[in-house]
Amino acid sequence: MRLSTRGHYGLLAMFDLAEHYGAGPIPLKMVAERQNISDNYLEQLIAVLRKAGLVRSVRGSQGGYILAREPGSITVGEIIRAMEGPIAPVECVSEVEPTECDQADSCITRLVWTRVRDKLVEVMDSISLGDMLRDAERLSVSRKA
Amino acid sequence: MRLSTRGHYGLLAMFDLAEHYGAGPIPLKMVAERQNISDNYLEQLIAVLRKAGLVRSVRGSQGGYILAREPGSITVGEIIRAMEGPIAPVECVSEVEPTECDQADSCITRLVWTRVRDKLVEVMDSISLGDMLRDAERLSVSRKA
DNA sequence: AAATATCTTAGCATTCCGCTCGGATTTTGT
DNA sequence: ACAAAATCCGAGCGGAATGCTAAGATATTT
């Protein structure tokens, strides 16, 4: 029941961009350094996020990456789907195009996995990068106190 | 965000044993046949469930496997933990012995994964094999109607 | 033209997955 | 005693995915 590092790193990178939202394009090297990820590897991962329409890129000197939308409108669920594909504990309850097995209609375990999937979707889609920024704010305030 | 077939098959096998609970030891070949799993492979998987104390085995002719406890007291969460290890979307929020990263206390994504983990645990620990038997009963009744 | 970035593709070592297979051991029934 | 039916145990293995590294092509700014 693990995420690969793709989803893990993807969210880290997106949150980093959210923290610098409004400051123009952020070079990937900065993100990689701050989040402690190989920048060569992150380059490949951010390409996926770009193709999914979650970030915009600016090429050339002074270039970098910017969130495609404001942090409040980008959810963890979107990011994870982009990085790891449809959310589903097992293939037969995938959000899109589940490959049905022959006893799908009498399969009780399928009901279980559907409930698990629904909970996953519910929590991931309910958290936005904006929410995470607020959490960070609260956390840093309580730290200073 | 996928389970391996280990967890998938593990639950199928345990549910099969639950359906025949009280009928004495069930040979693994029967389970494998009904659930359409390679019996050689299932043999390895059931060994894990046995070592976790979820099933008892009876060797020799007329032998087989029996749930170690009644279906109502065995949860999906227990089975998945046995087959796949501690429930956690990322390692740093593992239920047991999380390997902390150096910025663990200021990591916002960690808060997200903790919430995801908690939801997973909540739903998996709330469903027992007994619950699944009731679901199967309801489903077969509504099918006949 | 130089510097700074993104973009794209190839490759690669390691690990995990999902098995197969062979045989040892235990128990029951004839 | 013997055969049959089962669990037990470990070795091995092909294929796929993971998590990178590396090298260069392209675009943009200064």
Side-chain angles (χ1 to χ4, degrees):
Chain A
M1 219 44 203
R2 288 278 166 86
L3 233 50
S4 70
T5 61
R6 303 171 66 82
H8 192 177
Y9 290 172
L11 184 58
L12 280 173
M14 289 294 281
F15 179 67
D16 191 280
L17 292 181
E19 282 190 302
H20 298 86
Y21 188 64
I26 312 294
L28 205 59
K29 253 191 174 174
M30 293 296 144
V31 178
E33 208 164 282
R34 280 191 292 252
Q35 303 302 327
N36 207 36
I37 305 173
S38 145
D39 57 342
N40 271 320
Y41 187 35
L42 189 54
E43 228 170 60
Q44 295 176 30
L45 303 187
I46 199 102
V48 178
L49 293 167
R50 183 173 51 81
K51 281 164 193 160
L54 295 175
V55 299
R56 285 171 33 220
S57 66
V58 178
R59 299 185 67 163
S61 187
Q62 306 304 312
Y65 292 90
I66 313 176
L67 293 186
R69 290 175 268 137
E70 51 179 26
S73 74
I74 299 178
T75 67
V76 172
E78 285 182 277
I79 297 166
I80 295 307
R81 285 186 191 90
M83 299 309 297
E84 312 241 350
I87 294 170
V90 300
E91 217 280 332
C92 65
V93 299
S94 172
E95 290 176 302
V96 298
E97 299 173 4
T99 310
E100 297 237 336
C101 71
D102 41 358
Q103 310 122 312
D105 48 354
S106 64
C107 181
I108 305 301
T109 63
R110 195 163 170 277
L111 294 182
V112 173
W113 301 131
T114 301
R115 287 178 60 181
V116 172
R117 183 202 60 194
D118 289 346
K119 280 293 177 186
L120 278 174
V121 167
E122 185 187 315
V123 61
M124 288 192 181
D125 282 348
S126 74
I127 305 175
S128 73
L129 292 174
D131 296 330
M132 292 173 67
L133 288 174
R134 273 197 295 281
D135 288 343
E137 181 65 21
R138 268 195 292 117
L139 206 139
S140 90
V141 165
S142 73
R143 178 162 312 245
K144 279 170 192 160
Chain B
M1 220 46 203
R2 288 279 165 86
L3 233 52
S4 69
T5 60
R6 301 170 67 82
H8 192 178
Y9 290 172
L11 184 57
L12 280 173
M14 289 295 280
F15 179 66
D16 191 281
L17 291 182
E19 283 190 302
H20 299 86
Y21 188 64
I26 311 293
L28 204 58
K29 254 192 176 174
M30 294 294 145
V31 177
E33 209 164 282
R34 279 191 293 253
Q35 303 301 327
N36 207 37
I37 304 172
S38 144
D39 57 340
N40 272 319
Y41 187 34
L42 189 55
E43 226 170 62
Q44 293 176 32
L45 303 187
I46 200 99
V48 177
L49 292 167
R50 183 173 51 83
K51 281 163 193 160
L54 294 175
V55 298
R56 284 170 36 218
S57 65
V58 178
R59 300 185 67 166
S61 188
Q62 307 303 314
Y65 292 91
I66 313 176
L67 293 187
R69 292 175 268 137
E70 51 178 29
S73 74
I74 300 178
T75 68
V76 173
E78 285 181 279
I79 298 166
I80 296 305
R81 284 186 191 90
M83 298 309 297
E84 312 240 350
I87 293 171
V90 300
E91 216 281 331
C92 65
V93 299
S94 173
E95 291 175 301
V96 300
E97 299 174 2
T99 310
E100 297 238 335
C101 73
D102 40 357
Q103 309 124 311
D105 48 354
S106 64
C107 181
I108 305 299
T109 63
R110 195 163 169 279
L111 294 181
V112 173
W113 301 131
T114 302
R115 287 178 58 184
V116 171
R117 183 203 60 195
D118 288 347
K119 281 291 176 185
L120 278 173
V121 167
E122 185 186 316
V123 61
M124 287 190 181
D125 282 349
S126 74
I127 305 175
S128 73
L129 291 176
D131 296 328
M132 292 174 66
L133 288 176
R134 272 196 296 281
D135 288 343
E137 182 65 22
R138 267 195 295 117
L139 207 139
S140 88
V141 166
S142 73
R143 177 164 312 247
K144 280 172 194 161

